[in-house]
């Protein structure tokens, strides 16, 4: 017997040793946490379940490498695997946890450690109104107590009061924003799940404007929720890489408990509901009319690391500049080469986090001063205060694709905590740093800041070098294209000077070592464009220089680099029922003649009315003009390119008279399709004098009426050098003044005589020559 026992002991030891050499304990990097609870997942490989004594999570608020000798839990919820449940944690405290497996032999194996902060405990309260049936009120009270306690343990929502009552006339239950809850007679709805559902309405689901925001939903005011925090929590809870929170204008799912049939009373359902509620608040939902979104541990800090902040806005030093403290305590974003970054501690910041309020502090590495934001003031301050606390909210979109295996960087809104409308630290023009009212939109890049370690800054700089090199290559290719246009030299040696500067820029680009150096080459290449154009003139009026590269964002992918705020979609812009001026000013332009072209139309009123006027020849006035410098021309009427067959893209409107039916765009999707076919070409010519180097271009409408709709895309600019304006246009003087009515379906010759009135601008029956149609030159060949 002793021999058999000895052999068995040896066998178990051998098996245990084998398990130790092949074991893998993986702590899932995803987790969830509340104020007094946290949740983790783990996987075990290479260990037979027969050898396991226990497994779960060990954790500690003091030991950064927790063991089973610290606190541990084996409790779990089942949902596509095990969710281990840590309870009775201290709120607003840093914890460390990791998965473990303990063998029957006593050996313990661990996964990697997760460091996290619990939330400040929620301070929600409730009251039960008098009235209704006493037994119903007691059921409702017990349900409310459970729901509110659960949210206080799992969210950080502060000072929201739920006023709950039994209302026999209410079919099921309802709740207003702010927490006034009514529960009806149906006992199936007198449960905690119903109260949790109604509390969601009380803190903003289906009742707060953020819930219906197009920036937060895939389909305008409904569809998938786009906040990362909710998505992260849901994918952890359901152990799914694709899970997303869906919803309509009022409700959400899953875990919304949308009816008694969904209320199974389980911890899995109720805790899931609570965790998603907290995540909604972290994404931006506002829990009451007095409270802004909940702060949270958004930026995972490296102890003792210096951080470098840069604006996410491309016009504010996106690749080349960093937030720095000036000698007088003001702030600016200034250009710093990567090689000089460690020598500029005025641009380096130590970042700390305060668990008790979930705010961050930024201390300048050179002066020890703290970043300070209060109202319209952004500066530094020697002492800490409430104004040196920052609520960080992570962006929903990557700032840039680094094309690496690592995670792409995202910026953060840096907010001064406020009751409802916080101020955000913002980058402005010319290196200035200011504050703006918080804007939740993805497009609000001037309000978001990348917070980078030195290593991340180096990766970013490398990406910047690539981006600027691509710009340099693009400009040089366009320069070569410009030089290939038949032209004459206004100054001898212009072509050779261009060839020399191109060769020099290419050599400098290949030897550059940081983004600042390559960015300077972009400006050098742009200057080469100006220098060439200033000293060359096309020799063929039908082949001008295409200088569209001088326009920033000519394709209207967004409204960046333009003055004005149109609705932008499908890479085109629109204004509806409003006057507007959408423009940009081009600097350092050579003197000469220019032609600006864009695809643009206006629908002057309701579609059917506009078409009737158009077809009858008494056209409703077009009030939208394309302009360059001092000159402007009307854009096309939406009816100008009506089609006898629908394109079948987007929403088209059919208009008709006794003779035919035409289809015209009726939304931005269809408008973009018409633009893609080359329709609605509009143009205006102008002349820039020698003493003026600025050219303002754009599209505007000084007056607008009901149903007036203007849409535009694809700006292009052509340069004719010293060729006179009247030669380029072929028209001596037939301007159409903005604000004046004209018969836009009438056709005139160059003497101003009406030669035809055409319903659809049909010039095919006219003799060869130049005519004026809709205020524009038309050549009949």
């Amino acid at each position: 017997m002793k021999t058999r026992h000895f052999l068995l002991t040896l066998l178990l030891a051998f098996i245990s040793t084998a398990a130790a050499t092949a074991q893998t304990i993986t702590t899932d990097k995803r987790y969830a946490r509340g104020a007094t609870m946290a949740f983790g997942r783990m996987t075990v490989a290479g260990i037979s379940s027969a050898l396991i004594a226990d497994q779960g999570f060990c954790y500690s608020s003091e030991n950064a490498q927790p063991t089973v000798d610290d606190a541990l839990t084996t409790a779990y919820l089942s949902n596509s695997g095990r969710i281990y449940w840590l309870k009775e944690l201290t709120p607003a405290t840093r914890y460390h946890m990791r998965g473990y497996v303990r063998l029957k032999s006593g050996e313990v194996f661990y996964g990697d450690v997760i460091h996290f902060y619990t939330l400040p405990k929620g301070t929600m309260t409730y009251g039960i109104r008098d009235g209704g049936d006493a037994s119903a009120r007691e059921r409702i009270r017990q349900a409310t107590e459970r729901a509110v306690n659960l949210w206080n343990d799992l969210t950080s929502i502060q000072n929201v009061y739920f006023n709950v009552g039994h209302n026999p006339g209410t079919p099921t239950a309802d709740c207003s924003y702010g927490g006034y809850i009514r529960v009806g007679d149906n006992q199936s709805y007198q449960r905690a799940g119903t109260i949790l559902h109604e509390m969601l309405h009380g803190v903003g689901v289906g009742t707060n404007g953020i819930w219906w925001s197009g920036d937060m939903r895939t389909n305008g005011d409904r569809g998938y929720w786009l906040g990362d925090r909710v998505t992260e929590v849901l994918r952890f809870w359901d152990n799914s890489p694709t899970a997303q929170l869906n919803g309509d204008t009022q409700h959400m799912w899953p875990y919304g408990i949308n009816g008694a049939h969904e209320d199974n009373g389980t911890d899995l359902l109720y805790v899931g509901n609570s965790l998603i509620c907290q995540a909604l608040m972290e994404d931006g939902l506002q829990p009451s009319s007095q409270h802004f979104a909940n702060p949270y541990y958004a930026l995972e800090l490296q102890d003792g690391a210096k951080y470098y902040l840069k604006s996410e806005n491309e016009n504010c030093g996106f690749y080349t500049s960093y937030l720095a403290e000036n000698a007088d305590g003001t702030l600016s974003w200034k250009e710093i080469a990567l090689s000089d970054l460690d020598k500029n501690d005025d641009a380096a910041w130590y970042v700390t986090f305060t668990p008790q309020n979930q705010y961050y502090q930024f201390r300048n590495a050179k002066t020890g001063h703290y970043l300070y934001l209060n109202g319209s003031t952004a500066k530094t301050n020697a002492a800490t205060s409430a104004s040196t606390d920052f609520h960080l909210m992570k962006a929903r979109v990557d700032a840039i694709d680094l094309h690496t295996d690592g995670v792409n960087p995202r910026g953060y809104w840096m907010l001064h905590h406020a009751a409802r409308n916080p101020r955000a630290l913002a980058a402005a023009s010319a290196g200035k740093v200011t504050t703006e009212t918080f804007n939740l939109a993805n497009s609000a890049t001037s309000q978001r800041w990348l917070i980078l370690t030195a290593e991340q800054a180096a990766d970013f700089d490398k990406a910047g070098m690539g981006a600027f090199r691509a710009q340099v290559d693009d400009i040089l290719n366009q320069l070569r294209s410009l030089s290939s246009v038949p032209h004459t030299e206004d100054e001898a040696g212009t072509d050779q000077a261009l060839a020399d500067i191109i060769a020099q820029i290419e050599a400098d680009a290949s030897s550059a070592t940081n983004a600042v150096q390559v960015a300077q080459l972009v400006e050098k290449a742009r200057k080469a464009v100006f220098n060439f154009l200033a000293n060359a003139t096309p020799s063929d009026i039908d082949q001008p220089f295409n200088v569209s590269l001088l326009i920033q964002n000519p394709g209207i992918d967004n409204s960046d680099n333009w003055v004005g705020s149109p609705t932008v979609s499908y890479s085109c812009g629109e204004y509806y029922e409003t006057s507007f001026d959408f423009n940009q000013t081009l600097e350092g332009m050579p003197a000469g003649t220019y032609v600006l072209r864009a695809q643009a139309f206006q629908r002057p009123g309701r579609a059917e009315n506009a078409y009737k006027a158009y077809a009858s020849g008494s056209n409703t006035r077009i009030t939208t003009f394309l302009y360059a410098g001092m000159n402007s021309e009307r854009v096309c009427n939406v009816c100008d390119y009506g089609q006898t067959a629908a394109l079948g893209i987007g929403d088209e409107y059919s208009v008709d008279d006794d003779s035919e039916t035409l289809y015209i765009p009726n939304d931005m999707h269809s408008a973009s399709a018409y633009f893609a076919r080359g329709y609605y070409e509009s143009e205006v010519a102008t002349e820039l004098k020698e003493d003026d180097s600025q050219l303002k271009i754009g599209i505007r409408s000084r007056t607008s009426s009901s149903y007036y709709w203007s849409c535009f895309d694809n700006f292009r600019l052509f340069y004719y050098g010293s060729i006179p304006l009247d030669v380029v246009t072929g028209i001596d003087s037939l301007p159409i003044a903005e604000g004046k009515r004209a018969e836009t379906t009438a056709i005139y010759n160059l003497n101003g005589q009406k030669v035809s009135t055409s319903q659809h601008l049909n010039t095919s029956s006219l003799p060869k020559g130049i005519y004026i149609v809709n205020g524009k030159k038309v050549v009949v060949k």
Side-chain angles (χ1 to χ4, degrees):
M1 287 295 293
K2 290 183 179 180
T3 301
R4 290 179 59 189
H5 179 75
F6 175 73
L7 292 174
L8 181 58
T9 301
L10 286 177
L11 179 61
L12 288 173
F14 172 77
I15 293 174
S16 177
T17 301
T21 58
Q23 62 77 30
T24 302
I25 310 299
T26 303
T27 305
D28 197 320
K29 293 181 180 180
R30 303 170 302 172
Y31 66 93
R33 52 74 184 111
T36 66
M37 306 176 190
F39 305 86
R41 288 180 179 270
M42 61 181 287
T43 57
V44 180
I47 301 177
S48 170
S49 58
L51 299 176
I52 297 175
D54 61 289
Q55 65 184 66
F57 270 70
C58 55
Y59 56 95
S60 173
S61 61
E62 298 177 352
N63 184 1
Q65 298 292 320
T67 71
V68 292
D69 293 328
D70 298 302
L72 62 82
T73 182
T74 59
Y76 64 87
L77 299 170
S78 294
N79 190 28
S80 299
R82 293 180 177 183
I83 305 172
Y84 287 94
W85 191 349
L86 286 62
K87 301 180 183 180
E88 298 181 358
L89 305 182
T90 302
T93 301
R94 190 183 191 195
Y95 275 91
H96 319 276
M97 69 176 182
R98 58 177 169 176
Y100 79 90
V101 170
R102 179 160 43 194
L103 303 185
K104 293 176 181 177
S105 63
E107 291 181 275
V108 183
F109 303 107
Y110 297 99
D112 292 334
V113 178
I114 291 174
H115 310 282
F116 68 95
Y117 287 92
T118 52
L119 300 171
K121 190 175 174 66
T123 59
M124 290 164 282
T125 56
Y126 71 93
I128 304 298
R129 299 189 300 273
D130 293 335
D133 178 73
S135 58
R137 285 202 312 273
E138 178 57 20
R139 284 191 295 271
I140 294 168
R141 187 200 63 77
Q142 292 180 15
T144 303
E145 182 178 42
R146 182 180 179 188
V148 171
N149 286 344
L150 194 59
W151 274 21
N152 280 335
D153 282 333
L154 287 168
T155 83
S156 59
I157 299 173
Q158 303 295 303
N159 302 324
V160 171
Y161 175 75
F162 295 102
N163 187 336
V164 188
H166 176 219
N167 287 69
T170 302
T172 54
D174 58 36
C175 182
S176 64
Y177 187 48
Y180 190 87
I181 299 176
R182 301 186 304 179
V183 183
D185 274 339
N186 190 331
Q187 291 189 29
S188 298
Y189 288 87
Q190 296 169 1
R191 302 178 62 194
T194 293
I195 301 301
L196 287 170
H197 171 92
E198 300 305 338
M199 285 165 55
L200 284 173
H201 292 314
V203 297
V205 172
T207 54
N208 177 251
I210 302 300
W211 180 255
W212 305 301
S213 168
D215 292 298
M216 300 302 299
R217 307 295 292 278
T218 53
N219 296 318
D221 60 357
R222 66 197 69 207
Y224 292 117
W225 178 261
L226 298 176
D228 275 354
R229 291 295 301 128
V230 167
T231 302
E232 290 167 0
V233 167
L234 183 57
R235 290 182 178 179
F236 163 77
W237 201 246
D238 282 356
N239 200 19
S240 166
T242 59
Q244 283 184 274
L245 187 74
N246 207 340
D248 54 24
T249 58
Q250 290 184 307
H251 301 113
M252 70 177 210
W253 55 86
Y255 301 101
I257 318 179
N258 302 303
H261 62 288
E262 294 186 9
D263 186 3
N264 59 21
T266 62
D267 288 331
L268 182 70
L269 177 64
Y270 289 4
V271 171
N273 167 282
S274 307
L275 292 172
I276 289 173
C277 173
Q278 171 66 19
L280 284 166
M281 305 303 121
E282 294 172 4
D283 278 334
L285 202 64
Q286 299 172 339
S288 77
S289 58
Q290 286 77 42
H291 296 91
F292 184 63
N294 289 359
Y296 63 104
Y297 186 58
L299 170 68
E300 295 196 9
L301 298 176
Q302 297 182 16
D303 292 338
K306 290 180 181 178
Y307 287 87
Y308 302 89
L309 281 61
K310 59 168 55 254
S311 171
E312 196 178 312
N313 189 283
E314 291 188 0
N315 297 319
C316 298
F318 179 63
Y319 284 115
T320 60
S321 300
Y322 297 86
L323 178 71
E325 179 185 4
N326 300 320
D328 61 356
T330 60
L331 300 167
S332 64
W333 53 267
K334 65 180 184 180
E335 190 173 89
I336 303 174
L338 180 69
S339 56
D340 296 328
L341 194 59
D342 61 351
K343 306 170 189 175
N344 286 267
D345 269 357
D346 53 346
W349 304 85
Y350 293 110
V351 186
T352 54
F353 178 73
T354 303
Q356 288 72 25
N357 56 22
Q358 305 281 289
Y359 295 135
Y360 289 81
Q361 301 78 37
F362 294 78
R363 181 169 59 87
N364 188 267
K366 180 178 181 180
T367 66
H369 295 167
Y370 289 86
L371 201 59
Y372 175 103
L373 191 158
N374 191 347
S376 60
T377 302
K379 60 175 186 176
T380 61
N381 200 58
T384 58
S385 69
S387 295
T388 60
D389 283 342
F390 284 83
H391 174 174
L392 295 191
M393 183 180 289
K394 195 173 184 179
R396 298 180 297 277
V397 292
D398 293 344
I400 184 177
D401 185 354
L402 293 179
H403 302 291
T404 67
D405 294 334
V407 177
N408 288 323
R410 291 195 177 184
Y412 295 82
W413 280 278
M414 299 178 61
L415 306 173
H416 179 255
H417 47 91
R420 197 56 188 274
N421 295 303
R423 301 291 289 183
L425 189 71
S429 60
K432 295 180 180 178
V433 176
T434 183
T435 73
E436 296 175 352
T437 300
F438 170 64
N439 181 351
L440 185 63
N442 291 332
S443 60
T445 54
S446 65
Q447 295 188 3
R448 293 199 298 271
W449 299 83
L450 292 151
I451 306 174
L452 308 173
T453 63
E455 293 76 13
Q456 291 169 332
D459 289 340
F460 207 90
D461 193 79
K462 183 178 179 181
M465 290 179 64
F468 286 131
R469 281 197 173 109
Q471 289 185 43
V472 169
D473 291 344
D474 183 53
I475 296 172
L476 294 185
N477 287 335
Q478 293 189 61
L479 261 174
R480 295 186 184 95
S481 178
L482 289 174
S483 66
S484 69
V485 172
H487 65 275
T488 58
E489 292 183 337
D490 295 344
E491 183 175 321
T494 295
D495 289 344
Q496 185 58 51
L498 178 64
D500 292 344
I501 193 65
I502 288 176
Q504 180 186 339
I505 290 172
E506 287 180 326
D508 290 344
S510 64
S511 61
T513 59
N514 58 66
V516 169
Q517 292 174 344
V518 189
Q520 292 168 349
L521 295 178
V522 173
E523 295 308 310
K524 196 170 185 177
R526 289 187 181 276
K527 186 175 181 180
V529 173
F530 297 141
N531 290 339
F532 173 74
L533 294 175
N535 296 290
T537 296
S539 54
D540 185 344
I541 195 172
D542 291 327
Q543 296 187 63
F545 293 124
N546 185 339
V547 293
S548 301
L549 79 160
L550 304 180
I551 304 174
Q552 298 190 67
N553 187 21
I556 318 299
D557 296 323
N558 47 52
S559 59
D560 288 354
N561 306 115
W562 293 86
V563 175
S565 302
T567 298
V568 176
S569 187
Y570 297 100
S571 191
C572 54
E574 72 167 10
Y575 286 95
Y576 182 68
E577 291 185 339
T578 185
S579 57
F580 63 89
D581 188 346
F582 182 71
N583 66 80
Q584 67 175 264
T585 299
L586 310 181
E587 304 281 352
M589 302 295 287
T593 300
Y594 293 85
V595 170
L596 175 68
R597 294 176 185 159
Q599 289 173 279
F601 65 76
Q602 185 181 55
R603 186 189 67 205
R606 291 181 183 271
E608 57 271 20
N609 295 338
Y611 178 69
K612 287 178 182 178
Y614 179 86
S616 69
S618 59
N619 196 14
T620 305
R621 180 167 54 125
I622 297 296
T623 64
T624 295
F625 284 72
L626 186 71
Y627 70 92
M630 299 299 293
N631 294 347
S632 60
E633 298 284 355
R634 282 191 174 95
V635 301
C636 296
N637 188 307
V638 70
C639 300
D640 285 346
Y641 289 91
Q643 302 295 300
T644 55
L647 299 187
I649 300 175
D651 181 22
E652 295 171 271
Y653 196 96
S654 62
V655 292
D656 58 71
D657 57 19
D658 295 336
S659 60
E660 63 180 338
T661 298
L662 293 180
Y663 293 88
I664 58 175
N666 198 44
D667 66 0
M668 298 183 78
H669 193 184
S670 59
S672 68
Y674 277 64
F675 289 155
R677 285 161 174 75
Y679 301 153
Y680 301 110
E681 189 75 13
S682 303
E683 72 173 43
V684 60
T686 194
E687 189 173 22
L688 200 61
K689 302 300 183 182
E690 287 288 349
D691 59 351
D692 193 357
S693 62
Q694 291 185 333
L695 179 62
K696 187 176 181 180
I697 61 171
I699 186 170
R700 67 185 172 219
S701 177
R702 288 173 173 158
T703 61
S704 184
S705 301
S706 297
Y707 298 99
Y708 270 51
W709 174 43
S710 299
C711 199
F712 48 88
D713 192 13
N714 194 23
F715 286 80
R716 286 144 290 142
L717 186 64
F718 299 88
Y719 180 62
Y720 291 80
S722 57
I723 301 175
L725 179 64
D726 57 353
V727 174
V728 171
T729 60
I731 305 168
D732 289 331
S733 180
L734 280 174
I736 294 179
E738 294 184 45
K740 290 191 175 181
R741 185 180 297 275
E743 288 186 68
T744 54
T745 53
I747 301 176
Y748 299 82
N749 62 24
L750 294 184
N751 295 320
Q753 298 169 317
K754 186 190 294 185
V755 297
S756 176
T757 298
S758 170
Q759 289 188 357
H760 306 305
L761 307 184
N762 183 4
T763 58
S764 61
S765 61
L766 296 174
K768 293 181 179 180
I770 300 175
Y771 299 89
I772 306 300
V773 181
N774 196 21
K776 299 178 178 62
K777 179 182 70 175
V778 174
V779 179
V780 177
K781 298 181 179 180

